Amino acid sequence: QVQLVESGGGLVQAGGSLRLSCAASGRTFSSYAMGWFRQAPGKEREFVAAISWGGGSTYYADSVKGRFTISRDNAKNTVYLQMNSLKPEDTAVYSCAADRKRGTWARPVDSTWPGAYDSWGQGTQVTVSS
């Protein structure tokens, strides 16, 4: 199992920005595709963004495209989610996940299935006030 620890969540006003980090253990981190998901109280887990093993391919949910940016620094075993122009509907617990079976996807939509990921962090709370 890959150990993942998220950080960077907090309270921000609508229109503001936050940068989430996900620190991973494991010597083969650079070979894993990584994803961010979010879950609001009473709601199902929702795909946010994914990134391939080398960072060359990214995929975003329509709800965050143009506002969020996923990136990774394999030398630091860390994946990031830069969130700009935040909206109240972005309020959720954000979790990162690792897909140890794949470094990329045959189809971008393949990255959106939670079951494709076999390691999960505990999550970090993001609250956007109006």
Side-chain angles (χ1 to χ4, degrees):
Q1 285 286 313
V2 177
Q3 186 174 31
L4 305 173
V5 180
E6 302 95 337
S7 62
L11 175 64
V12 65
Q13 289 185 309
S17 298
L18 285 173
R19 188 193 192 200
L20 306 184
S21 298
C22 174
S25 64
R27 293 188 296 271
T28 58
F29 169 80
S30 62
S31 70
Y32 306 154
M34 298 290 294
W36 285 97
F37 292 78
R38 66 187 183 186
Q39 187 169 25
K43 303 295 184 180
E44 294 186 349
R45 183 176 292 168
E46 177 187 22
F47 169 78
V48 177
I51 188 167
S52 61
W53 67 274
S57 297
T58 58
Y59 186 61
Y60 298 92
D62 288 342
S63 59
V64 307
K65 186 176 179 62
R67 299 188 297 120
F68 291 10
T69 303
I70 188 171
S71 62
R72 67 193 298 162
D73 186 340
N74 287 340
K76 297 181 178 180
N77 279 14
T78 302
V79 63
Y80 305 95
L81 185 68
Q82 178 67 46
M83 305 184 294
N84 298 326
S85 301
L86 283 162
K87 305 174 181 179
E89 51 262 45
D90 295 319
T91 296
V93 173
Y94 285 70
S95 300
C96 66
D99 182 354
R100 297 189 296 166
K101 300 178 294 295
R102 299 181 298 184
T104 188
W105 324 277
R107 304 176 299 164
V109 71
D110 292 340
S111 70
T112 70
W113 180 46
Y117 299 85
D118 54 12
S119 296
W120 293 81
Q122 293 299 305
T124 185
Q125 177 71 48
V126 172
T127 302
V128 184
S129 65
S130 60

